[in-house]
Amino acid sequence: MREIKQIISLLFLVKRESEKLLCHVLSIAEELYLKYRSEYDELKNYLRSTTENEIYRASEKGSIFEIVWLIFFSRYLGLGINKERINELVKGLDTDLNKNRFYISILESKQEIFRELRNDIDLFKAPRHFKTNTEFTLSKYLDIFDREEID
């Protein structure tokens, strides 16, 4: 468990160098969680605490991108970070966040972006979609590890 905690901490430390790495970091954290959650009961609590800390850090620097990803991740894995707790963690953000349709979509787990296209284009998948499709992991869905080299 100590090594897993160190890996997750290191991954989030690396992510601070570039926000673009966030989906990779979350994919690896998910793989670790799925592999070791039955072996280490405290892993869920550690990942929840780390995710809450990262949501708070993202709100401190005003990164909607990170906040949305982290909220999705916490809901996707069922870490138990509820809407009230999220509101506590992102209090410092500009009030315009509550008008951001993408943020609202993630927070409410329903498509609020381009609602007029809802029937024609599916732009949003709620975390529960991935729970019912167990062959999906973030790394598979985002094709993190199986990329082909471009000549």
Side-chain angles (χ1 to χ4, degrees):
M1 183 62 195
R2 188 174 142 254
E3 288 179 12
I4 294 170
K5 286 180 176 182
Q6 288 174 339
I7 290 169
I8 291 171
S9 293
L10 182 60
L11 287 169
F12 278 102
L13 186 62
V14 168
K15 183 265 320 164
R16 290 183 194 143
E17 293 298 316
S18 173
E19 287 181 2
K20 294 177 186 177
L21 296 174
L22 183 58
C23 64
H24 300 338
V25 167
L26 296 178
S27 295
I28 295 169
E30 174 199 22
E31 293 291 336
L32 288 169
Y33 176 72
L34 294 176
K35 184 171 183 175
Y36 295 107
R37 68 181 167 188
S38 61
E39 192 173 336
Y40 301 109
D41 293 335
E42 69 268 25
L43 183 56
K44 182 176 182 176
N45 290 334
Y46 177 75
L47 200 51
R48 178 179 46 235
S49 173
T50 302
T51 304
E52 285 181 348
N53 185 34
E54 290 299 318
I55 291 171
Y56 179 77
R57 284 178 180 273
S59 81
E60 287 286 302
K61 71 179 192 179
S63 176
I64 306 294
F65 171 80
E66 286 185 56
I67 291 170
V68 167
W69 262 108
L70 291 162
I71 292 170
F72 178 85
F73 178 73
S74 70
R75 294 238 170 119
Y76 167 72
L77 287 182
L79 297 178
I81 305 174
N82 62 26
K83 189 175 167 180
E84 291 76 26
R85 179 65 177 141
I86 291 167
N87 286 333
E88 290 173 14
L89 294 168
V90 297
K91 270 188 177 176
L93 274 182
D94 188 353
T95 56
D96 286 340
L97 178 63
N98 292 321
K99 296 176 187 172
N100 183 311
R101 285 186 175 184
F102 192 61
Y103 174 76
I104 294 168
S105 294
I106 294 297
L107 200 57
E108 300 294 333
S109 290
K110 62 182 180 180
Q111 182 170 324
E112 293 294 330
I113 52 175
F114 300 108
R115 286 185 297 200
E116 63 277 3
L117 300 175
R118 181 175 282 164
N119 295 331
D120 300 318
I121 300 172
D122 185 19
L123 296 174
F124 176 81
K125 289 187 188 216
R128 69 181 164 273
H129 167 81
F130 294 95
K131 287 181 184 176
T132 59
N133 296 305
T134 55
E135 73 275 2
F136 285 122
T137 62
L138 286 178
S139 59
K140 287 179 185 173
Y141 191 73
L142 300 173
D143 202 17
I144 299 295
F145 302 114
D146 297 326
R147 293 182 176 209
E148 293 182 27
E149 290 188 31
I150 300 173
D151 294 327

